[in-house]
Amino acid sequence: MTPAPPYEAPANDHVLLAFDGRVLEVFGYVDDARYHVWERPRLEFGTGRRRLAQIVTRHGRRHSIPYDAPLLPGLRALADRLAESLPPPAPRH
């Protein structure tokens, strides 16, 4: 299987999210962060006065990132690409 091409989406003037088909990366926030698809990361978007995107992993780890409303379409496109790239859930024994 050929990995998906890199995809990048700014969340605001200081934060960039990048996904290469295997690893979701956050650059420019307090510190950089990496989430492998094995962790089943997903993006959730809050609305209202304080707009936050949250990266949530299958283990419940959360990373909140403020986003600018005009950049939401690019973030949603990245979230869709991420969701399409996740492996199927492991069977429970």
Side-chain angles (χ1 to χ4, degrees):
M1 179 167 102
T2 305
Y7 187 80
E8 297 179 348
N12 57 50
D13 288 342
H14 308 287
V15 178
L16 176 72
L17 278 67
F19 180 61
D20 67 1
R22 293 183 56 214
V23 177
L24 173 64
E25 297 178 285
V26 181
F27 297 103
Y29 200 50
V30 174
D31 55 357
D32 299 334
R34 296 170 51 93
Y35 302 89
H36 192 275
V37 292
W38 173 84
E39 295 180 89
R40 301 192 63 76
R42 68 182 186 277
L43 280 165
E44 298 176 352
F45 301 99
T47 57
R49 238 178 75 201
R50 189 153 186 247
R51 292 174 303 276
L52 288 177
Q54 283 199 343
I55 300 169
V56 183
T57 69
R58 69 176 171 172
H59 303 292
R61 185 171 138 197
R62 292 182 176 270
H63 189 148
S64 298
I65 302 160
Y67 69 88
D68 294 338
L71 300 174
L72 184 56
L75 291 168
R76 287 196 186 279
L78 185 143
D80 291 344
R81 184 162 295 182
L82 175 62
E84 294 165 0
S85 299
L86 295 179
R92 293 188 165 200
H93 297 277

